[in-house]
Amino acid sequence: MKTKFSFLFLLFAFAAFTASAQTTQTEKAEEKPTYWVPNKALPAAEHYEGGIEAMYEFIGKELKYPALAMRNRVQGESIIGFTINEDGSTSGFKVLRNPGAGVGEEALRIARLLKFKSPGYALNVSIPIQFKL
């Protein structure tokens, strides 16, 4: 009788150990970036040093969720339109979509920080910036 219980105990202990080993491996494999990247091509990203990944990595680092938006749980996509001039400078910033609670102003602040390479011609672009709690 004792051998039967000890055998069952070892069997369940082994099963628990293998199950926990499998879950720790899958958690490490599913790491995602902390920033949001759209799945479509953006004309503005072609003129950013490092491309779309580098642009949204910069946006993710600089993004500060507004306190009012966090308190009211405001989420959504803010779209900022602007012009990349011939020399790479930017002008004419405008909030095209604003979820509210200070989210549009924060997206506008971040868009003004972006530095682009010189395209050689004026280019009107818009970039989406995702706010998600």
Side-chain angles (χ1 to χ4, degrees):
M1 186 80 151
K2 276 187 176 180
T3 58
K4 202 181 232 183
F5 284 121
S6 60
F7 177 72
L8 286 174
F9 175 74
L10 288 175
L11 180 68
F12 286 123
F14 180 72
F17 176 73
T18 56
S20 67
Q22 289 175 357
T23 57
T24 56
Q25 291 173 354
T26 55
E27 289 174 3
K28 291 178 184 176
E30 294 178 14
E31 288 183 27
K32 292 185 180 180
T34 58
Y35 53 91
W36 172 81
V37 179
N39 55 1
K40 57 186 174 187
L42 296 174
E46 295 175 9
H47 302 289
Y48 190 82
E49 187 71 37
I52 193 168
E53 291 285 331
M55 184 171 79
Y56 277 98
E57 184 176 353
F58 174 78
I59 289 171
K61 287 179 185 175
E62 293 293 322
L63 186 76
K64 294 182 179 88
Y65 217 97
L68 181 63
M70 195 175 288
R71 198 170 337 136
N72 293 327
R73 299 176 187 244
V74 175
Q75 299 185 71
E77 183 177 70
S78 182
I79 299 178
I80 306 296
F82 58 95
T83 303
I84 301 175
N85 299 321
E86 297 168 353
D87 60 349
S89 63
T90 54
S91 63
F93 289 91
K94 188 175 182 181
V95 178
L96 301 177
R97 183 183 296 165
N98 186 0
V103 170
E105 291 79 13
E106 175 65 12
L108 187 63
R109 181 189 72 82
I110 290 173
R112 287 189 172 143
L113 294 175
L114 295 172
K115 303 292 182 206
F116 294 93
K117 297 182 287 186
S118 173
Y121 52 89
L123 181 65
N124 290 327
V125 295
S126 61
I127 58 169
I129 298 176
Q130 184 75 30
F131 287 83
K132 189 168 183 172
L133 291 173

